[in-house]
Amino acid sequence: MLIASVIFALAGPWNKAVTQKVDSFTVSCLNLGVGGAALLVIGLVLGGSLHPQSFGAVPVLLFLAFISGAGYVIWALLMKNNPVSRIAVFG
């Protein structure tokens, strides 16, 4: 939790600086794609696997990924258009 908090604190100003130059949606997709790929590789290397229990689990997983991504895009838009100190307290 401590590492996640430190990374979250450092990501706010970085995200604000990057989204001033590039579209927030593009930055969010790149961040989520690289992070997801890294987690997938780490999980597979450490012996993990993904075996859905039923066909209905796949749409639920995709929906949850969409909700997470949408929240991240909204957060990036808020960080772009507001001071970091005003938005960070809601994290």
Side-chain angles (χ1 to χ4, degrees):
M1 291 298 292
L2 181 62
I3 293 170
S5 296
V6 169
I7 291 172
F8 184 72
L10 295 174
W14 175 82
N15 200 4
K16 183 171 181 67
V18 171
T19 55
Q20 297 298 325
K21 301 173 190 164
V22 182
D23 180 45
S24 298
F25 183 77
T26 304
V27 171
S28 298
C29 289
L30 182 62
N31 285 341
L32 292 173
V34 169
L39 289 174
L40 177 66
V41 168
I42 291 169
L44 292 175
V45 166
L46 294 176
S49 61
L50 182 62
H51 300 288
Q53 298 299 313
S54 68
F55 180 74
V58 174
V60 170
L61 180 64
L62 293 175
F63 177 72
L64 291 173
F66 170 77
I67 293 295
S68 176
Y72 193 82
V73 170
I74 291 170
W75 183 260
L77 286 170
L78 285 171
M79 292 296 272
K80 177 181 181 178
N81 298 316
N82 295 292
V84 174
S85 61
R86 185 174 292 179
I87 301 302
V89 298
F90 297 107

